[in-house]
Structure formats: C-alpha cells, structure tokens
Amino acid sequence: MEKAIAMNPFDKIEKRKLKKFDRVYIGSNFCQNLLPKIKKIEELYESGISKITLMTPLLTDSYLLKTMNLIENALKLKPELEVSANDLGVIDLIKGIKEIKILLARPVSHEFIRMNLNDLEGLIKDLNIKMIEK
C-alpha cells in the first residue's frame, strides 16, 4: 500500500518525517496561489520522495503558463510526474506528454461522472486521463 501526504508549498515537514511517505501531493485543487515553485519539488526529491503528484486548480491564463513551466521543469528533475488536474486547459496541454500520468481531480470529476458512460470513456481516452479521483 502506498503511503501519501498532501501538503501546500508553505508546509514545513522535517526530512526524516517525509521519508515514511511514498508520495507527496503538493499544490491545491482550489487555489492557484498555492502552486509550488520548482525549488520545493526539488527539495522533496532530495528528501527521498520518489513520487510527486502536482495538484492543480482552475487557472487563469497567466497561471496556466506558470503551471506548464513548472511541469516542464519538474520533468527535467525526474522524467515522470503525476498531475491531478481540475483545469481542462492543463489537461489539453499535457495529454500528449507520455511521462505524465493525468488524474481528473475530485472537484471537477463529479461533473464528469454524471456523463453518459460511452461519452465519458471517449473523453477519458481523448484526454489521456489515467484515473478519475472521487
């Protein structure tokens, strides 16, 4: 079983406490101002975290660009990343990047799971979504 912790970029957790987790969820599903800096992701990897999930909310155009920049830089640190996305713009921009596992985040997934199953399956395939969080 994977052990995970969710944190925002301003949380201070001792390295020794972080080591007991396999994955860190960082960012926010609701606030674009909680997008982490690449330095925070680098610190997590240096602390021994091997798996990171970047949580992203609905984004303005300027934060969409910041998010894409963050994703590109995170992939330079480690060529794999999981992104929990609430913004279809983010999903559209990253859907072709094979090193990214896309999760349809909880806040937006509730709307999608109401869809006709055939339509939902088609959308999931088209957007390269690997999992729907609920």
Side-chain angles (χ1 to χ4, degrees):
M1 177 190 311
E2 185 177 73
K3 291 183 182 181
I5 185 172
M7 58 190 296
N8 73 55
F10 305 108
D11 288 340
K12 304 282 186 203
I13 300 175
E14 295 176 30
K15 285 183 182 184
R16 66 178 179 83
K17 290 183 179 179
L18 272 177
K19 287 184 180 185
K20 66 182 174 181
F21 298 102
D22 304 305
R23 177 178 302 279
V24 169
Y25 287 78
I26 189 161
S28 171
N29 284 320
F30 302 100
C31 180
Q32 66 184 12
N33 294 319
L34 293 176
L35 185 69
K37 305 281 188 228
I38 191 63
K39 182 71 175 157
K40 186 68 173 188
I41 292 176
E42 188 174 16
E43 289 172 5
L44 290 171
Y45 283 135
E46 289 172 357
S47 295
I49 296 297
S50 60
K51 300 175 188 170
I52 292 178
T53 300
L54 176 63
M55 296 185 293
T56 64
L58 288 173
L59 299 164
T60 61
D61 288 346
S62 65
Y63 271 89
L64 182 60
L65 294 174
K66 288 178 185 179
T67 301
M68 290 309 300
N69 188 28
L70 175 63
I71 289 170
E72 289 168 2
N73 286 320
L75 288 172
K76 290 176 186 173
L77 293 174
K78 188 169 185 179
E80 61 183 47
L81 183 66
E82 191 171 85
V83 177
S84 175
N86 275 300
D87 190 300
L88 292 179
V90 170
I91 293 172
D92 190 51
L93 290 172
I94 65 175
K95 69 183 180 189
I97 303 172
K98 65 179 179 167
E99 297 85 4
I100 296 177
K101 179 179 179 183
I102 303 171
L103 312 178
L104 188 60
R106 280 174 273 163
V108 74
S109 69
H110 292 287
E111 297 301 319
F112 281 80
I113 59 176
R114 295 180 186 158
M115 292 175 71
N116 169 290
L117 187 57
N118 289 332
D119 293 339
L120 180 59
E121 288 174 349
L123 184 67
I124 288 169
K125 184 178 179 183
D126 290 346
L127 296 177
N128 198 24
I129 294 170
K130 303 297 185 208
M131 182 172 36
I132 296 178
E133 297 178 333
K134 60 177 190 161

